[in-house]
Amino acid sequence: MRFFLRLVALFAVAIGLAVLARYNPGNVVLFFPPYRIDLSLNFFVVLLLLLFILLYVVIRTIRVTQKLPARVIGYRRHKRETTANNALRDSLKSLFEGRFGQAEKAATRAAELQDNLGVAALIGARAAHRMGQPERRDIWLASIEDDEPLKTARLITTLDLLVDEHKSQAALQAVSELNARGTRHIHALRLALKANQQAKNWPEVLRLVRTLNKHDALHPALSTRLRELAYDGLLSDDVHDAESITRLWATVPNEDRSKPFIAMRGAGAFNKCGLHAEARAIVEKSMATEWDPRLLATYRDAVAAEGTPELLAQIEHCERWAAKAPNDAELALTLGSFCFKQKLWGKAQRHLEQALSDAVAPVTVREAHLRLGQLHEAIEQPELAAEHYRQCALATAL
């Protein structure tokens, strides 16, 4: 409809101009002595219009000619940008598909455009790393070392690849640079956690686990396992003495102290330093929170001296636990060992024989036979003692 309206308007203007020109008697005189040119006004207007069109065409041609080199340069630049951007997309696609060789080749083409160099270098570094080419990976990363806007991305990529390569010290250096830049997002914290775990930097592992737990960024099972590994590394260190282990245990949060695995490692460390009273307290507190038979072996190692109130208290604790777990072989072995220590021969024999009948683990069987052998030897029954010693030896051989 709009086209037809314009066509009608054009016809109307043409008709108007034709009528105006027909009834226009005006003349134009161009006088150049000694020459004189007489033109009708209509013809003069037509000539003027043609002259305007000619000038416009000439000027337009000149301007287009002047701009032609720039347009050629722009066309070539656009073509290079299109080619490089297509190569960048191809490199990303190949990287996600696992075609790392093609990804690196495409990244090389994409890097020909300066604006794509940073991202292409990150893609090329990851592709080279996946192909087991650390030299090429380092060359890619070094090519954008001075690119300030991409510094965080380069450091995160470097940290990720070094952690994957288990180069913990170099990874920790990248973590330090990220910390200096104030980078604290979740992915960076997770990578820092892996790097510190590989470096066995257990205090920092614990700090990072607590930080990530605040953001709900770790699965509870993984968080628990990482804390167990960290405390295992800290508490199993042979350099601890009584003072250092006490100071270290004071830094453990109460909620972690009651966890069975951590309590077992802590009590074991105190036993190793001769602090048996502290070890007993750790086990008893943990058992009051959560029953775990793994703690009983450590509890036996922390046995108090014969005839002391502490030993009687240990026996009482075991009897209370036995009400909850009457068929637990480890508990029966522990209670029998304490009764043997206290020279309660009848109770000791009954509990040790129960442990022997309920035991499945070879270690428990071996220790039960050893305790029974010692008991029968103490009450002057050498034949029975010899039989249990023989069974202990056979269990050890197995």
Side-chain angles (χ1 to χ4, degrees):
M1 178 63 72
R2 185 176 299 177
F3 171 75
F4 289 110
L5 290 176
R6 289 178 179 176
L7 187 62
V8 170
L10 182 61
F11 283 142
V13 171
I15 293 171
L17 290 175
V19 172
L20 182 64
R22 181 175 182 181
Y23 296 101
N24 183 11
N27 293 326
V28 175
V29 177
L30 300 177
F31 183 67
F32 299 98
Y35 303 103
R36 174 190 174 97
I37 300 175
D38 292 317
L39 300 172
S40 68
L41 181 58
N42 294 336
F43 186 63
F44 178 76
V45 170
V46 172
L47 287 178
L48 193 62
L49 181 60
L50 292 175
L51 179 61
F52 173 78
I53 293 173
L54 179 63
L55 289 174
Y56 174 79
V57 170
V58 171
I59 293 171
R60 182 70 177 172
T61 302
I62 293 173
R63 292 188 64 185
V64 169
T65 304
Q66 290 175 339
K67 292 181 179 179
L68 188 59
R71 292 183 64 182
V72 171
I73 293 172
Y75 170 76
R76 290 177 178 174
R77 183 188 301 114
H78 177 72
K79 187 176 180 180
R80 285 198 305 271
E81 290 177 355
T82 302
T83 303
N85 290 336
N86 289 336
L88 186 63
R89 287 192 291 270
D90 290 342
S91 65
L92 276 172
K93 179 174 176 290
S94 298
L95 181 68
F96 294 144
E97 290 176 348
R99 297 154 61 190
F100 302 119
Q102 294 188 22
E104 188 176 9
K105 290 178 182 177
T108 302
R109 296 196 304 271
E112 294 175 0
L113 183 65
Q114 186 64 29
D115 292 342
N116 288 346
L117 175 59
V119 178
L122 296 176
I123 296 171
R126 287 188 176 274
H129 176 80
R130 298 304 176 193
M131 290 188 295
Q133 300 291 334
E135 297 83 6
R136 290 211 306 268
R137 175 201 66 195
D138 295 340
I139 291 173
W140 278 112
L141 292 173
S143 67
I144 56 171
E145 191 169 355
D146 297 328
D147 193 338
E148 187 62 28
L150 281 172
K151 189 165 186 178
T152 299
R154 179 180 62 81
L155 288 173
I156 289 290
T157 301
T158 302
L159 175 57
D160 190 7
L161 301 183
L162 290 174
V163 166
D164 185 67
E165 202 176 6
H166 290 270
K167 290 187 175 181
S168 56
Q169 295 305 319
L172 289 178
Q173 184 177 355
V175 171
S176 299
E177 293 186 50
L178 284 170
N179 291 337
R181 294 178 62 83
T183 304
R184 295 289 190 277
H185 58 74
I186 297 299
H187 185 59
L189 292 174
R190 283 173 173 163
L191 291 175
L193 174 61
K194 290 181 180 179
N196 282 282
Q197 181 184 349
Q198 291 175 1
K200 301 186 185 304
N201 188 6
W202 303 122
E204 185 65 11
V205 168
L206 288 171
R207 188 190 70 80
L208 289 168
V209 167
R210 295 189 191 105
T211 302
L212 288 167
N213 283 338
K214 292 178 183 177
H215 296 88
D216 295 327
L218 282 179
H219 191 279
L222 177 59
S223 174
T224 299
R225 183 55 184 157
L226 287 173
R227 289 202 304 274
E228 288 179 353
L229 286 174
Y231 284 119
D232 187 26
L234 287 171
L235 297 168
S236 301
D237 196 337
D238 293 333
V239 301
H240 286 305
D241 55 16
E243 182 180 354
S244 65
I245 195 63
T246 303
R247 188 167 55 250
L248 173 61
W249 189 252
T251 65
V252 180
N254 289 327
E255 62 177 348
D256 287 341
R257 293 185 189 184
S258 60
K259 296 289 191 301
F261 183 88
I262 299 172
M264 179 175 64
R265 288 292 183 265
F270 277 101
N271 279 334
K272 191 180 295 184
C273 295
L275 301 176
H276 301 298
E278 289 79 357
R280 292 193 295 272
I282 291 171
V283 173
E284 290 164 2
K285 182 178 179 181
S286 177
M287 288 291 238
T289 304
E290 180 180 354
W291 165 260
D292 195 313
R294 293 179 298 174
L295 290 164
L296 294 172
T298 306
Y299 198 50
R300 289 197 298 274
D301 293 338
V303 61
E306 176 189 347
T308 60
E310 289 79 9
L311 180 56
L312 295 176
Q314 283 187 283
I315 294 174
E316 291 176 1
H317 280 296
C318 288
E319 288 175 343
R320 285 198 297 272
W321 296 336
K324 300 178 182 178
N327 298 319
D328 190 282
E330 278 290 322
L331 181 55
L333 175 61
T334 303
L335 185 53
S337 299
F338 291 164
C339 290
F340 174 75
K341 182 80 171 181
Q342 189 64 16
K343 295 183 179 179
L344 301 174
W345 309 124
K347 289 181 66 175
Q349 183 176 355
R350 184 173 72 254
H351 290 300
L352 290 172
E353 288 176 350
Q354 179 189 349
L356 193 59
S357 64
D358 295 336
V360 175
V363 175
T364 306
V365 173
R366 184 169 61 250
E367 190 169 352
H369 277 299
L370 176 62
R371 295 294 185 196
L372 282 169
Q374 293 171 342
L375 184 148
H376 287 294
E377 188 175 14
I379 59 177
E380 298 180 355
Q381 294 178 343
E383 295 83 3
L384 292 176
E387 177 61 23
H388 282 294
Y389 285 142
R390 188 179 71 83
Q391 294 295 332
C392 177
L394 290 174
T396 304
L398 294 177

